[in-house]
Amino acid sequence: MQRILDVVERVGNRVPHPVMIFVILIGIVILLSHLLYMLGASVSYQVVNLETDSVEHTTTVARSLLSVDGIRFMFTGVVQNFMSFNAVGVIIVAMVGVGVAEEAGLVGALIRKLVVVAPPGALIYLLVFVGILSSIAADAGYLVLIPLAAAAFVSVGRHPLAGLAAAFAAVAAAFLVNILIVPTDGILTEITNDAIHLVDSTVSIDLTANVWFSIASVVMLTIVIALVTERIVEPRLGSYGGGYSVEGDGKLSADEYRGLRFALYGLIGTIVLIAALTLPPGAPLRDPATGAIVGNTPFMASLIVSIALIFMVCGIAYGRGAGTMKDTSAVMAAMAKAIAGLSGLILLLLVIAQFLAYFSYTNMATLAAVSLADALGRANLDALWLLVGFVVVVLVLDLVITGAIAKWAIFAPIFVPLLMRLNVEPEAVLAAYRVGDSPVNVITPLNAYFAMIVTFAQKYEKDSGIGTVIALMLPYVVVLCVVWTLLLVAWHLLGLPWGL
């Protein structure tokens, strides 16, 4: 296993610069799109229309990027493709706040405090558990928890890349399960119900349809990810000799304690402000039509802004208390430094945004997804093996279609009716989708935050590259795919309730 991972890392790190990799991929997509267009590739299927909340029959054909329309799209869409790439804005906004907190010394002080408070053996389990739950706050886990986990590990003498890998696995490889109801659950549930109504209009599931399976998955995944980190990833990495360390000797000074106290005041004040803008009836961050707080609401849409604000206010407060930030110039310098540090990542995201836009334009992902789904449906498998086969198909497609909602809108009208006719509950199909959709997120370069993870790794080991991250994460993918699928199979065979 170690030799295989070493080969993966060496080969992965010998490939061209990530920017050039995506330039080459763009070239391949352009040529392949024209070939499929010339062959007249097309698929017909039923899909859930997310705008009308209805199931529609549609036909998708391959579109060539070398046609007149395709060339026009490539030349006129560059700026819009980049501006529409949500990850760019999310990263910049979040890092403005995190940058202030880090430059002020708040992040280092919190990590050292965490290390003192948390039992050594529990640190990894705590970080993984919080990482899995971070899906309630959209992308905050990627932007905040992963770098914090790396820093926490190095502060206790453990390899920072092991902390980074564990947190990345928790945030991304377990993304679709939580002990809480998250906004994504609402959308997945509605798509599932639309697919159910193709077979039986009197049957529906609700938001808690997978709650028991999700809770069990969270507990199991916390343990499994921690064990993979300690038994496979850390032994392979060995001791850390990169020279990076968290400032301080492990003990907090009087100034740092005063800074943490000021930061707590800032945190309380910011939370009170956000609560005042959210909780009262008719508050600005409630849904103006329904008054809801969770779901497709201003509050959920502004979570990254709220998180950035919390870090910024707490960072400024800490800086004032600890004496590390004496005026607004220091705050502005911290923000500028944080943005400057993203320059290479922003260049890469510019190219990735074009690749994703071109790939989406060609319809190749939809052609592949529907073709694989139809092939599995025609395989005449029994219910259990069809459920497992569905997990495998989702795992494979997650390499190129990372959006959980987009894939489910295609798969649900195919697999939910098919498995219901074999007496498999729709809750089981949705649970199988949760299993298949998550693990591969940590090794596909099409994950919007994959490039950022490589950047985080380079902070501790400058020669880290795509191969380094893929080699780090492959053990998690293999183990989670096997163990999580076995949990799904056991749950199905035992007839346990999937939710409430």
Side-chain angles (χ1 to χ4, degrees), residues 82-100:
F82 185 56
M83 298 301 292
S84 300
F85 192 31
N86 188 56
V88 178
V90 168
I91 291 171
I92 292 175
V93 170
M95 291 309 295
V96 166
V98 174
V100 172

Side-chain angles (χ1 to χ4, degrees), residues 324-338:
T324 56
M325 280 190 170
K326 301 184 182 300
D327 52 35
T328 56
S329 296
V331 176
M332 296 303 109
M335 292 181 180
K337 181 179 179 180

Side-chain angles (χ1 to χ4, degrees), residues 17-84:
H17 189 280
V19 170
M20 287 307 304
I21 291 176
F22 279 96
V23 170
I24 293 170
L25 288 174
I26 286 173
I28 294 173
V29 167
I30 291 173
L31 295 176
L32 188 56
S33 72
H34 192 66
L35 175 62
L36 293 173
Y37 171 77
M38 295 294 292
L39 293 174
S42 66
V43 290
S44 296
Y45 57 100
Q46 290 180 311
V47 65
V48 176
N49 187 320
L50 298 179
E51 294 182 0
T52 62
D53 197 31
S54 61
V55 177
E56 300 176 352
H57 187 83
T58 186
T59 298
T60 297
V61 300
R63 300 172 72 188
S64 172
L65 285 165
L66 291 179
S67 65
V68 173
D69 289 340
I71 294 172
R72 183 182 297 119
F73 172 79
M74 287 191 290
F75 274 79
T76 62
V78 173
V79 174
Q80 186 58 43
N81 294 340
F82 185 56
M83 298 301 292
S84 300

Side-chain angles (χ1 to χ4, degrees), residues 318-354:
Y318 176 88
R320 295 292 293 177
T324 56
M325 280 190 170
K326 301 184 182 300
D327 52 35
T328 56
S329 296
V331 176
M332 296 303 109
M335 292 181 180
K337 181 179 179 180
I339 299 300
L342 297 174
S343 57
L345 179 60
I346 291 173
L347 171 63
L348 178 57
L349 292 177
L350 170 64
V351 180
I352 291 176
Q354 309 312 313

Side-chain angles (χ1 to χ4, degrees), residues 475-493:
Y476 296 101
V477 175
V478 173
V479 174
L480 289 185
C481 286
V482 173
V483 175
W484 207 356
T485 302
L486 289 176
L487 176 66
L488 175 78
V489 170
W491 207 281
H492 173 70
L493 292 177

Side-chain angles (χ1 to χ4, degrees), residues 143-176:
L143 302 167
V144 178
L145 184 71
I146 294 174
L148 286 181
F153 262 52
V154 77
S155 70
V156 295
R158 299 171 72 173
H159 204 296
L161 294 191
L164 179 146
F168 188 24
V171 171
F175 183 74
L176 281 188

